[in-house]
Amino acid sequence: MARLTVNNQPVEYKLDPDTPLLWALRDASNLTGAKYGCGTGECGACIVDIDGRAVAACTVPIGRIEGSYVTTIEGLSRERNHPLQLAFIAANLPQCGFCIPGIIMAAQALLRRTPDPGEEAIEAALPNICRCGVYPRLIEAVQRAGRALRGEETIPAGARPGIDPADAARAVPALVPPPSR
Ligand code: FES
Ligand code: FES
């Protein structure tokens, strides 16, 4: 069992204290933004914020963080318009998107302690692995989000990621099999 605060909600996990936080979040809280990649703390897909630090949730047993405040990508911004999210969308950064929640949670922790990070600081703070290779645009997107957080720039809201319901509805007829002759 472990008592935590997750995305500002008190949570009591009636799970083995050795359960990795990632499984508690995904399976018990249905917070599936943090992803399972390697399970060994290498890839960064599962990074969440624990008490202001970016931590790989796959490596942390819930019993070891009793009383902590955990923020996941779902709790970062109710409107999904944190400057990092806006900057990533504006740069067309997300490709398959699997790594993006972990990258954003690592980046937000960096920007809170280092509001104007240079390239080296960003690379050091974001060890995340991206199989789609978003790295070339990543540095600038994080720096742009930093400028927005410092009030030096406004990032216009772009189209929300995901399939527009109207487009999904239009695609349905193509799935209907042709009439039999
Ligand atoms: Fe946690 Fe890869 S799944 S670091
Ligand atoms: Fe696909 Fe990073 S966007 S893994």
Side-chain angles (χ1 to χ4, degrees):
M1 195 171 83
R3 290 190 187 86
L4 307 173
T5 301
V6 177
N7 295 341
N8 289 323
Q9 299 289 327
V11 177
E12 184 176 325
Y13 288 121
K14 295 192 168 103
L15 299 168
D16 187 315
D18 287 335
T19 304
L21 174 63
L22 181 60
W23 299 134
L25 294 172
R26 291 182 58 88
D27 293 348
S29 292
N30 199 29
L31 294 167
T32 56
K35 299 291 188 284
Y36 175 74
C38 62
T40 57
E42 305 288 332
C43 74
C46 66
I47 286 178
V48 298
D49 188 293
I50 303 179
D51 296 333
R53 291 174 39 243
V55 179
C58 70
T59 64
V60 183
I62 54 172
R64 208 193 294 158
I65 54 168
E66 174 84 34
S68 291
Y69 285 74
V70 176
T71 305
T72 70
I73 186 74
E74 291 91 344
L76 184 64
S77 162
R78 182 180 285 271
E79 301 301 322
R80 294 187 287 168
N81 62 356
H82 185 282
L84 278 163
Q85 292 167 309
L86 297 180
F88 277 38
I89 292 169
N92 202 19
L93 201 79
Q95 298 303 304
C96 80
F98 193 85
C99 68
I100 299 298
I103 291 179
I104 287 182
M105 294 313 292
Q108 62 82 34
L110 167 68
L111 290 177
R112 224 168 330 100
R113 66 175 184 275
T114 308
D116 188 9
E119 191 170 331
E120 278 183 19
I122 295 171
E123 285 175 352
L126 272 58
N128 309 61
I129 295 171
C130 171
R131 63 190 171 189
C132 303
V134 301
Y135 309 111
R137 299 190 299 278
L138 183 55
I139 303 290
E140 168 53 25
V142 172
Q143 289 177 329
R144 188 177 188 193
R147 291 195 295 276
L149 284 165
R150 300 195 303 274
E152 297 169 7
E153 179 177 343
T154 301
I155 307 173
R160 292 265 183 98
I163 299 171
D164 186 285
D167 289 341
R170 272 198 294 277
V172 168
L175 301 177
V176 175
S180 55
R181 295 178 189 170

